[in-house]
Amino acid sequence: MSAPQLVVHRDKELMAQAAAARLITRIVDAQAARGSASVVLTGGRNGNGLLAALSSAPARDAIDWSRLDLWWGDERFLPEGDPDRNDTQARAALLDSVPLDPARVHTMPVSDGAYGKDADAAAAAYAEELATVARPENHGPVPTFDVLLLGVGPDTHVASLFPEHPAVRESERMVVGVHGAPKPPPTRISLTLPAIRSAREVWLLAAGEDKSQAVAISLSGAGAVQAPAAGAYGRARTLWLLDAAAAARLPRDLYPVASP
């Protein structure tokens, strides 16, 4: 378990731009060290904002996009191409504009696909896909992701792991079907906390005053069941990327405000 590190930017636009620059550097370093890189994407306004900033960043061409594996932390279990799916939004924000290898873009199953409306079977299939690329050095049934991105919800949820919900209590399975989620749509697929914790680095993104209470609770020693964001951490690094509004309820001596 790595202790959380905080980086606070003046506003959400600077946060997105700085996070994009940081992600480019991390991907390039991983590719230089191991030949490829793996990133787990997140949806929501902050996740999509980061992807849009990455799309417009001049340095994006430093990445060898053909040697990048992309996974998702969660997905709304909806038909292919539905505008509310995280992968649909990610394609519009970035993925359709860069030369990715389609075989290395690992989208979560759709509700009109091979598993029909069975979210549990779809989750099990995604877990199997993760397991097939895990190596012995990963010490588990998922690869050691270089960076796993998570948006933090106003209720402290991450991925589709909601406070007190059965999925957040999962300790064995790496991917689960989520039923009765407290925000629409109610049926989802999500990585679990054990899968999230397999990543080298976990980056939690939060911007806006409506996230300030969730950030404060998650960083105050709360338990993972009550505040799922508190249970999300990486093997080597756990990084909270915030804007000043989201950090407003934290003790001011916890962090410096990053320069523009």
Side-chain angles (χ1 to χ4, degrees):
M1 176 178 178
S2 55
Q5 301 174 349
L6 279 65
V7 179
V8 180
H9 294 277
R10 186 181 64 213
D11 55 42
K12 65 180 181 180
E13 289 80 16
L14 283 175
M15 187 193 88
Q17 293 165 11
R22 188 184 295 270
L23 185 58
I24 291 169
T25 299
R26 187 68 190 87
I27 292 171
V28 170
D29 287 348
Q31 289 179 335
R34 291 181 295 277
S36 63
S38 61
V39 173
V40 179
L41 300 180
T42 187
R45 69 178 190 237
N46 292 318
N48 291 326
L50 187 160
L51 294 182
L54 181 52
S55 179
S56 61
R60 78 175 200 181
D61 293 336
I63 296 172
D64 184 342
W65 295 97
S66 68
R67 294 190 292 128
L68 177 64
D69 283 288
L70 294 178
W71 302 87
W72 269 262
D74 75 320
E75 186 56 272
R76 299 170 176 97
F77 196 51
L78 297 168
E80 183 173 4
D82 189 288
D84 286 336
R85 278 183 60 91
N86 289 334
D87 66 338
T88 305
Q89 296 172 8
R91 291 183 188 282
L94 171 69
L95 306 191
D96 285 346
S97 65
V98 291
L100 292 159
D101 178 352
R104 302 182 79 158
V105 179
H106 307 275
T107 56
M108 287 184 163
V110 294
S111 65
D112 57 349
Y115 310 100
K117 300 294 186 180
D118 190 342
D120 296 323
Y126 202 67
E128 180 61 29
E129 186 174 358
L130 285 162
T132 61
V133 299
R135 299 176 180 177
E137 62 267 24
N138 298 144
H139 305 293
V142 295
T144 303
F145 310 112
D146 290 297
V147 177
L148 187 146
L149 301 168
L150 293 170
V152 179
D155 60 353
T156 74
H157 84 265
V158 290
S160 284
L161 305 177
F162 296 91
E164 305 286 353
H165 204 269
V168 79
R169 301 176 186 271
E170 180 62 47
S171 61
E172 296 183 2
R173 291 178 294 171
M174 297 295 108
V175 190
V176 293
V178 176
H179 306 276
K183 62 179 294 187
T187 306
R188 297 156 175 257
I189 301 172
S190 183
L191 298 189
T192 60
L193 287 177
I196 288 169
R197 294 167 183 165
S198 72
R200 290 185 177 88
E201 299 191 12
V202 170
W203 299 4
L204 297 106
L205 313 172
E209 192 279 332
D210 63 322
K211 305 293 182 71
S212 62
Q213 184 173 6
V215 170
I217 291 171
S218 300
L219 291 170
S220 67
V225 173
Q226 295 75 30
Y233 49 80
R235 290 184 176 184
R237 193 179 198 193
T238 305
L239 188 62
W240 284 73
L241 300 172
L242 310 171
D243 73 350
R249 300 193 189 200
L250 295 174
R252 185 61 185 82
D253 59 355
L254 275 185
Y255 62 89
V257 175
S259 300

